[in-house]
Amino acid sequence: MVIIMASHATKEDVDAIVTLVGTAGGDAFVSRGVSRTIIGLVGDVAQFSSLNLRGMAGVADVMRVSTPYKLVSRENHPQRSTVRVGGVPIGPDTVTLIAGPCAVETPQQTLEAAEMAKAAGATLLRGGAYKPRTSPYAFQGLGEDGLRILADVRTATGLPIVTEVVDAHDVELVASYADMLQVGTRNAQNFALLQAVGSVGKPVMLKRGMNATIEEWLMAAEYIAQRGNLDIVLCERGIRTFETATRNTLDVSAVPVAQRLSHLPVIVDPSHSGGRRDLVLPLTRAAIGVGADGIIVDVHPHPEQALCDGPQALVDGDLVELARVMRQFPPLLGRTAAVAPEPLATI
Ligand code: PEP
Ligand code: MN
């Protein structure tokens, strides 16, 4: 932290700050310039947070120089991390494809969607059993029955499961089925939930809050990390802007910015960003182009019958095309596509 003193500050003002910082267990280094004095504080920011430094006589400004997040910061961990989900890597060397239904509706629908995902080359299955819906009248998910369906589909396909948890009380239950826990945009700053998912020993995918700055997103990740869990994947899923043509606005700059500030992998959800099937492929190209470490998409065998987010769900042919882009594009950027090879056509 740096304190900039006003030009009229007196020696007594400066001494009072040095003494106050000392009593809080920190060190203060005074640097006297021609017109102003600057005081550099050394110690943990938390030590100084209860001091009313701004209110001290002669203080013009107080600036933080280190990041407010430590464990997820790249400053303290320059090497970018790889998170493994049921053995599948998500990290800087690969571009992983996660696909599946927005919501688990029936065993048949989930299995069909998972088979579509697997056939296209996805290596992880997504699917919501607990759906955080904007309307209380909309389908809320099957709960534990949905988790059981996902577990059966994992057995049938071998795809590890990514699924959302919306309530801190359900974390242990969801973690007993899931390979990765998802925290959605509406819960991205639900600190009790973040602490609970940080304590349960499963990898976590943390979506960006639709109104959250990148710094707020990283501080949310810090809540998970602080509980001892560094297996966190950040997911950019679009933010709220004035634009209404799309469901959300995909913030492509957030990918390289977050990767520069944090060592955690960053993936993109082009389905929830655009909210429209026709935008999923172009947004996927954009995401890979800016360096996303993975893509998570909604697929459905019959989107017109979907109980949740049908308009953005990919159908078979779209998904095959998307997987093809995911095989061809990353190698041009020096990365490996972690998409299973296209099956050989049978004659
Ligand atoms: C989802 O992935 O199913 C979902 C609800 O996403 P988001 O939290 O980004 O809206
Ligand atoms: Mn959805």
Side-chain angles (χ1 to χ4, degrees):
M1 255 181 175
V2 173
I3 300 176
I4 300 168
M5 302 302 289
S7 48
H8 59 74
T10 63
K11 181 173 180 309
E12 287 69 35
D13 294 340
V14 172
D15 290 347
I17 290 170
V18 172
T19 305
L20 183 68
V21 169
T23 57
D27 287 316
F29 294 89
V30 179
S31 132
R32 288 178 211 280
V34 180
S35 59
R36 277 176 192 263
T37 296
I38 291 172
I39 309 175
L41 307 197
V42 178
D44 190 343
V45 174
Q47 279 176 288
F48 308 129
S49 61
S50 60
L51 307 180
N52 183 13
L53 293 167
R54 269 177 213 282
M56 296 287 285
V59 170
D61 203 1
V62 179
M63 290 182 335
R64 188 192 263 280
V65 284
S66 58
T67 54
Y69 41 84
K70 304 271 173 240
L71 300 168
V72 306
S73 150
R74 200 153 171 198
E75 212 170 65
N76 301 327
H77 189 302
Q79 193 94 348
R80 297 197 54 226
S81 298
T82 296
V83 172
R84 284 180 187 278
V85 182
V88 175
I90 306 178
D93 300 328
T94 49
V95 185
T96 306
L97 177 58
I98 307 169
C102 176
V104 172
E105 298 167 11
T106 64
Q108 175 72 11
Q109 164 259 5
T110 308
L111 182 62
E112 277 183 46
E115 280 171 344
M116 285 164 62
K118 185 171 182 179
T123 50
L124 293 169
L125 174 67
R126 63 146 292 148
Y130 295 86
K131 297 305 302 175
R133 304 305 297 279
T134 303
S135 163
Y137 301 109
F139 176 59
Q140 304 286 314
L142 298 180
E144 190 171 0
D145 287 345
L147 297 175
R148 283 194 204 98
I149 294 173
L150 283 169
D152 289 346
V153 170
R154 171 177 50 203
T155 305
T157 61
L159 295 176
I161 304 164
V162 183
T163 194
E164 181 162 355
V165 56
V166 300
D167 188 320
H169 296 110
D170 294 330
V171 167
E172 294 218 356
L173 173 73
V174 179
S176 70
Y177 290 90
D179 297 287
M180 178 181 237
L181 299 169
Q182 174 174 332
V183 175
T185 193
R186 294 162 186 79
N187 267 315
Q189 286 186 302
N190 177 339
F191 301 121
L193 179 63
L194 296 171
Q195 287 171 333
V197 296
S199 307
V200 84
K202 283 278 164 88
V204 178
M205 187 222 293
L206 175 63
K207 291 210 165 181
R208 178 180 179 184
M210 62 182 96
N211 301 310
T213 63
I214 294 170
E215 184 171 90
E216 287 164 343
W217 186 20
L218 297 179
M219 286 199 280
E222 188 80 4
Y223 269 90
I224 302 171
Q226 222 189 27
R227 293 292 163 126
N229 186 356
L230 273 166
D231 287 333
I232 307 165
V233 172
L234 301 169
C235 178
E236 162 60 41
R237 50 77 70 203
I239 52 174
R240 277 274 166 94
T241 66
F242 52 80
E243 183 54 71
T244 54
T246 47
R247 186 172 175 184
N248 294 281
T249 299
L250 176 62
D251 181 5
V252 281
S253 357
V255 175
V257 170
Q259 287 173 340
R260 207 151 291 165
L261 294 173
S262 170
H263 58 89
L264 301 176
V266 183
I267 67 169
V268 166
D269 180 341
S271 305
H272 289 82
S273 308
R276 287 169 34 181
R277 183 173 308 121
D278 64 323
L279 294 181
V280 174
L281 186 57
L283 295 182
T284 296
R285 289 198 192 97
I288 298 171
V290 292
D293 302 309
I295 300 289
I296 177 166
V297 291
D298 285 5
V299 303
H300 199 288
H302 308 287
E304 68 290 350
Q305 294 166 19
L307 297 180
C308 184
D309 289 348
Q312 70 196 29
L314 298 181
V315 288
D316 236 345
D318 305 325
L319 186 62
V320 169
E321 178 58 21
L322 181 134
R324 193 165 294 148
V325 167
M326 289 201 55
R327 281 187 201 94
Q328 291 168 352
F329 193 5
L332 301 178
L333 305 173
R335 309 187 57 157
T336 307
V339 178
E342 199 161 12
L344 293 174
T346 42
I347 303 164

